[in-house]
């Protein structure tokens, strides 16, 4: 191969490489493919006649480029589908605004009774509802039916006065024959006031400001 031919081949190869590097998007694939064919043509014209490149090598190069092209197009398609699914999920979840969702997030007490959902301890013969404020301090302990699953907390202290407005979390403490068994968290129902998309996730803003992922919702019902 002559020095001129070698220089031309090297220049063409460098230009093609720069073209592929500078235009990685799907819109540039067509021009990149034309550059690739030009590079392949120059390679064929300037091969060593005493040691020509096998035709299978050209086929491998062409197949490799085609594979990369298809992969880029596939990635763009998957990205587009993901965005569309995100919009669909957002539009569906937006319908939850104004409804009550059950989750393990703290519930907001504003003077109205709070609906709770507990999982009974089948071995307990006594149970207590533990109420904690936003700081995690226990503010009340109320005896409840150990078999009860739906509990309503009225938010009143022992003297009949309402607790301060704010966030409260709940747990059930089980006992059997006077002995402590276990403590389990209690889910509560809260009204959804906003649905927000954070990247690929849907975040629900509950009454009182608590935030949960839409994936953490255990059930949904009309607001009480």
């Amino acid at each position: 191969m002559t020095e001129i031919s070698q220089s031309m081949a090297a220049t063409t190869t460098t230009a093609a490489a720069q073209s592929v590097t500078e235009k990685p998007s799907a819109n540039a694939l067509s021009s990149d493919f034309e550059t690739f064919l030009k590079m392949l043509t120059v390679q064929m014209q300037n091969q060593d006649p005493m040691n020509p490149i096998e035709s299978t090598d050209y086929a491998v190069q062409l197949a490799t480029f085609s594979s990369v092209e298809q992969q880029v197009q596939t990635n763009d398609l998957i990205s587009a589908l993901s965005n569309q699914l995100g919009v669909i999920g957002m539009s569906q979840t937006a319908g939850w605004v104004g409804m009550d969702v059950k989750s393990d997030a703290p519930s907001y007490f504003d003077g109205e009774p709070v609906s709770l959902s507990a999982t009974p301890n089948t071995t307990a013969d006594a149970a207590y509802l533990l109420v904690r404020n936003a700081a995690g301090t226990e503010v009340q302990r109320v005896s409840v039916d150990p078999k009860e699953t739906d509990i309503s907390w009225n938010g009143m202290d022992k003297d009949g006065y309402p607790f301060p407005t704010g966030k409260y979390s709940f747990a059930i403490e089980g006992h059997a024959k006077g002995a402590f068994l276990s403590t389990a968290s209690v889910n509560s129902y809260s009204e959804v006031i906003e649905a927000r998309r954070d990247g690929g996730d849907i975040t629900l803003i509950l009454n009182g400001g608590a935030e949960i992922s839409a994936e953490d919702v255990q059930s949904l019902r009309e607001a009480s």
Side-chain angles (χ1 to χ4, degrees), residues 97-120:
V97 175
M99 302 190 73
D100 285 346
V101 293
K102 184 173 74 172
S103 71
D104 58 1
S107 187
Y108 184 70
F109 174 69
D110 57 1
E112 295 295 327
V114 177
S115 296
L116 306 173
S117 178
T119 301

Side-chain angles (χ1 to χ4, degrees), residues 52-170:
I53 300 176
E54 295 289 339
S55 59
T56 54
D57 292 337
Y58 291 118
V60 170
Q61 294 181 49
L62 183 59
T64 300
F65 187 90
S66 297
S67 177
V68 172
E69 179 185 25
Q70 292 175 1
Q71 186 62 51
V72 171
Q73 293 175 339
T74 299
N75 291 343
D76 289 344
L77 178 60
I78 292 175
S79 178
L81 288 174
S82 177
N83 290 334
Q84 291 178 4
L85 290 174
V87 172
I88 293 173
M90 183 64 184
S91 63
Q92 292 177 338
T93 311
W96 295 4
V97 175
M99 302 190 73
D100 285 346
V101 293
K102 184 173 74 172
S103 71
D104 58 1
S107 187
Y108 184 70
F109 174 69
D110 57 1
E112 295 295 327
V114 177
S115 296
L116 306 173
S117 178
T119 301
N121 187 330
T122 57
T123 61
D125 56 25
Y128 298 91
L129 175 67
L130 309 183
V131 184
R132 296 185 175 90
N133 60 19
T137 302
E138 183 178 315
V139 296
Q140 192 174 47
R141 177 182 293 253
V142 184
S143 177
V144 295
D145 185 345
K147 309 303 180 185
E148 187 64 54
T149 57
D150 296 322
I151 302 172
S152 179
W153 181 63
N154 61 14
M156 299 292 181
D157 63 19
K158 63 181 181 178
D159 297 321
Y161 294 101
F163 281 97
T165 298
K167 297 178 184 178
Y168 292 86
S169 58
F170 307 88

